[in-house]
Amino acid sequence: MCSLPVPREPLHRVAVTGGTHGNEMSGVYLVRHWLQAPGELQRPSFSAMPVLANPAATAACRRYMDRDLNRTFISTFLTVRASPEDPYEVTRAQELNQLLGPKASGRAFDFILDLHNTTANVGTCLITDTAHNVFALHLCHHLQLQNPELPCRVLMYQRPGEESYALHSVAKNGLGLELGPQPQGVLRADFFSQMRALVAAALDFLELFNQGMALPAFEMEAYRTVGTVDFPRTKDGDLAGTVHPQLQDRDFQPLPPAAPIFQLFSGEDVLYEGEATVFPVFINEAAYYEKGIAFIQTEKLTFSVPALPSLTPAPTPVP
Amino acid sequence: MCSLPVPREPLHRVAVTGGTHGNEMSGVYLVRHWLQAPGELQRPSFSAMPVLANPAATAACRRYMDRDLNRTFISTFLTVRASPEDPYEVTRAQELNQLLGPKASGRAFDFILDLHNTTANVGTCLITDTAHNVFALHLCHHLQLQNPELPCRVLMYQRPGEESYALHSVAKNGLGLELGPQPQGVLRADFFSQMRALVAAALDFLELFNQGMALPAFEMEAYRTVGTVDFPRTKDGDLAGTVHPQLQDRDFQPLPPAAPIFQLFSGEDVLYEGEATVFPVFINEAAYYEKGIAFIQTEKLTFSVPALPSLTPAPTPVP
């Protein structure tokens, strides 16, 4: 497996970002809380910085103001000369790139953990761009081992050849944490607590790595995006039906050929026409209607993740 | 029980309204479907008119543009002289009042059935303004009898002394139909089908009434609003916690004094300080954060609903 550079030094510059989508409330309220009470994000070798990624959208309780911020961290937007006519999120992506990057530079943050919710029934979902992100996969493995009671699934979101566009891609390493189902604009205590515990466990992992913990090789199941399926639509582009009751809420479950995927308003079923079983995720996510996505098709694979060399223990402050 | 005038004539002018809140998708898509295929709303003695109540908010997939349309059908807004500076929903309320009213006039529609969703776990909830709405309570009773498998609860939403402000109050009689939990912006097939079946059953009831069906007296359990409870907040007005896991999703269940209602971000619980058991509804509804409502307190009462005289059978067209 071709892999991205892995850390050779302790990770000191770490950010935890929430409100990248302004109506995904677990991250919004965790970050707001940590901005007032940052102690929870401190570890002996680093203090993670809480960042409210999209303050305007958060204030308006909307996903975004002008365009989806979490699709904006690509060179087209990050390198263009700033103009007062820029969409709000282009300006904000440039600011975040200055704060946490610049992306792909030596000055970039060591790690970004970006917090999200979805209306889909994904449970706990850990999002990396690709299988090349070996360090992030070690973190995922750690979170899985720490939470044996949770189905804590790893999703490789990026499609082959696609430039990474998510906020966490600004740092040298990063991970998206996606919990659902939670409606937009609603803060559920269960997901709030669960996300808080997962962030704590992630920071603990970074601390263990900084202290020189060895990271042996392992095998891991993960889901990799292979395509997307749009809703059935009328000739005007409006919905002609919605996700079938037999598919709704069944994220990460196998979808075989000829299984029903949509129920038309006329009463008929639409069957899955693919030739192979896929594993749908983000089924009926509210924010994806406008993107033309009723669900994302993934394949379930087993990856061999190589060992990472232990760091020389970093000096820690004497308490 | 003091009661509102009940129909003495067949109900011929009936409207089914959806998209009163533009991100409550069951009603939005049912109405859009019926605008193309109105046959489903026809009965021998009437054809119900589908109305997309808030087209601008529906197009934007938002609850409203400028103010909550379903709080706008009061004389302050309906009788003010129109101005180009009016909020969009004031203009729209006046248009709907012309189309379906005028409210409290002889020219008003006979019945409006207004379709809603909530992020709260209310199941099937039938909303009347008050216990005075005897005809609507007969419809509720019919829907309960037709759907014995559903917990089909009746909520009297209006508080004593409050002017009725909902869209359905424009007609001589009306009912709100509220299904949840469904996230804003999501169309679930199960609620779509359920709402469609409930609307069909409601229209069947109006037809039976028009044909001269006797409506005997009955007793009914219903929930009546007694107050609202806001989220715990910081001195800046921001959330300091959210609905307690032991209260979340327990709409219409008894909440006794000293039960936990909120979990603060600091980790502490907030207990219910009321002196009597109440029955919370609209627990953690996304749209109510801005209204300062974490849940609505109701009392559970038994009402004696009087019989309604049978109409002289209306002439029906020969098929």
Side-chain angles (χ1 to χ4, degrees), chain A residues 187-188 196 242 249 265 289, chain B residues 187-188 196 242 249 289:
Chain A
L187 182 67
R188 288 183 64 101
R196 191 176 200 168
T242 192
D249 302 328
F265 301 147
Y289 281 64
Chain B
L187 182 67
R188 287 183 64 102
R196 191 176 200 168
T242 193
D249 302 327
Y289 280 64

Side-chain angles (χ1 to χ4, degrees), chain B residues 123-124 142-153 193-194 197-198 201:
Chain B
T124 301
H142 177 83
L143 294 177
Q144 289 175 331
L145 295 175
Q146 293 288 309
N147 297 277
E149 78 293 355
L150 286 181
C152 198
R153 297 184 182 95
S193 299
Q194 191 179 321
L198 286 160

Side-chain angles (χ1 to χ4, degrees), chain B residues 155-156 228:
Chain B
L155 173 62
M156 295 165 179
T228 63

Side-chain angles (χ1 to χ4, degrees), chain A:
Chain A
M1 185 162 67
C2 145
S3 58
L4 294 180
V6 295
R8 302 291 181 202
E9 304 277 338
L11 296 89
H12 290 306
R13 301 175 69 220
V14 176
V16 184
T17 53
T20 305
H21 296 133
N23 54 10
E24 296 177 6
M25 303 287 263
S26 303
V28 167
Y29 279 100
L30 279 168
V31 164
R32 282 182 172 165
H33 178 68
W34 290 327
L35 287 167
Q36 302 298 318
E40 222 171 294
L41 301 185
Q42 290 168 10
R43 294 295 179 277
S45 64
F46 68 94
S47 293
M49 180 169 76
V51 177
L52 192 65
N54 194 330
T58 300
C61 199
R62 289 165 55 180
R63 184 176 176 90
Y64 58 80
M65 305 308 290
D66 298 325
R67 57 168 283 122
D68 191 334
L69 178 62
N70 213 33
R71 304 291 182 277
T72 306
F73 295 92
I74 55 176
S75 57
T76 312
F77 297 117
L78 296 181
T79 60
V80 72
R81 183 190 295 268
S83 142
E85 283 79 45
D86 283 342
Y88 171 77
E89 278 79 9
V90 169
T91 305
R92 185 62 184 151
Q94 292 178 354
E95 290 170 3
L96 289 166
N97 192 46
Q98 285 305 308
L99 180 71
L100 305 172
K103 181 170 174 170
S105 79
R107 289 198 292 121
F109 261 51
D110 296 312
F111 204 91
I112 293 176
L113 190 61
D114 191 31
L115 310 183
H116 290 266
N117 296 116
T118 168
T119 64
N121 186 29
V122 303
T124 302
C125 177
L126 311 173
I127 300 185
T128 69
D129 288 339
T130 69
H132 302 163
N133 211 329
V134 169
F135 185 75
L137 294 179
H138 276 274
L139 168 56
C140 294
H141 187 56
H142 177 83
L143 294 176
Q144 290 176 330
L145 295 175
Q146 293 287 308
N147 296 279
E149 78 292 356
L150 288 180
C152 198
R153 296 184 183 95
V154 175
L155 173 62
M156 294 164 181
Y157 194 89
Q158 191 175 311
R159 298 183 65 178
E162 210 172 36
E163 184 180 354
S164 61
Y165 48 60
L167 170 53
H168 65 247
S169 73
V170 168
K172 290 172 188 151
N173 281 284
L175 191 71
L177 184 49
E178 186 85 58
L179 299 190
Q182 179 171 269
Q184 296 176 344
V186 169
L187 182 67
R188 288 183 64 101
D190 47 4
F191 286 127
F192 184 87
S193 299
Q194 191 179 321
M195 191 173 269
R196 191 176 200 168
L198 285 161
V199 170
L203 300 184
D204 291 345
F205 171 82
L206 300 182
E207 177 63 24
L208 288 170
F209 180 75
N210 285 352
Q211 299 300 341
M213 180 177 66
L215 295 176
F218 60 92
E219 296 216 324
M220 164 181 264
E221 263 184 2
Y223 299 80
R224 189 167 67 181
T225 300
V226 293
T228 64
V229 176
D230 191 11
F231 290 91
R233 297 195 183 260
T234 66
K235 63 183 186 321
D236 301 327
D238 210 350
L239 295 195
T242 192
V243 170
H244 197 279
Q246 290 179 36
L247 178 59
Q248 178 71 46
D249 302 328
R250 290 178 51 81
D251 299 75
F252 292 111
Q253 303 304 312
L255 176 73
I261 53 174
F262 297 115
Q263 198 167 63
L264 299 181
F265 301 147
S266 61
E268 297 150 60
D269 287 351
V270 175
L271 307 183
Y272 179 54
E273 292 184 348
E275 289 178 0
T277 292
V278 290
F279 296 79
V281 298
F282 287 105
I283 298 169
N284 217 348
E285 155 58 34
Y288 287 3
Y289 281 64
E290 67 175 20
K291 296 184 197 293
I293 299 175
F295 60 89
I296 292 177
Q297 300 158 290
T298 74
E299 54 188 356
K300 186 177 179 178
L301 300 167
T302 300
F303 292 88
S304 295
V305 181
L308 289 188
S310 160
L311 294 179
T312 307
T316 55
V318 178

Side-chain angles (χ1 to χ4, degrees), chain B residues 37-226:
Chain B
E40 221 172 296
L41 302 185
Q42 290 168 10
R43 295 296 178 276
S45 64
F46 67 96
S47 292
M49 180 169 74
V51 177
L52 191 66
N54 194 329
T58 299
C61 199
R62 288 164 56 179
R63 183 174 177 90
Y64 58 80
M65 304 309 289
D66 298 325
R67 58 167 282 122
D68 191 333
L69 177 62
N70 213 34
R71 304 292 182 276
T72 305
F73 295 92
I74 56 176
S75 57
T76 313
F77 296 118
L78 297 181
T79 61
V80 74
R81 182 190 295 268
S83 141
E85 282 79 46
D86 283 342
Y88 170 77
E89 278 80 10
V90 170
T91 305
R92 185 62 185 151
Q94 293 178 352
E95 290 171 3
L96 289 167
N97 192 46
Q98 285 305 309
L99 180 71
L100 305 174
K103 181 170 174 170
S105 79
R107 289 198 290 122
F109 261 51
D110 296 312
F111 203 91
I112 293 176
L113 190 60
D114 191 32
L115 310 184
H116 289 267
N117 296 114
T118 168
T119 65
N121 186 28
V122 302
T124 301
C125 177
L126 310 173
I127 301 185
T128 70
D129 288 339
T130 71
H132 302 163
N133 211 330
V134 169
F135 185 75
L137 293 178
H138 275 275
L139 168 56
C140 294
H141 187 56
H142 177 83
L143 294 177
Q144 289 175 331
L145 295 175
Q146 293 288 309
N147 297 277
E149 78 293 355
L150 286 181
C152 198
R153 297 184 182 95
V154 175
L155 173 62
M156 295 165 179
Y157 194 89
Q158 191 174 310
R159 299 182 64 177
E162 211 172 36
E163 183 181 355
S164 60
Y165 48 60
L167 169 53
H168 66 247
S169 72
V170 168
K172 291 172 187 151
N173 281 284
L175 191 71
L177 184 50
E178 186 84 59
L179 300 190
Q182 180 170 268
Q184 296 176 343
V186 169
L187 182 67
R188 287 183 64 102
D190 47 5
F191 286 126
F192 183 88
S193 299
Q194 191 179 321
M195 190 172 269
R196 191 176 200 168
L198 286 160
V199 170
L203 300 183
D204 291 344
F205 171 83
L206 299 183
E207 177 63 25
L208 289 170
F209 179 77
N210 285 353
Q211 299 300 340
M213 180 178 66
L215 295 176
F218 60 92
E219 297 217 323
M220 164 182 265
E221 263 186 1
Y223 299 80
R224 188 166 68 181
T225 300
V226 293

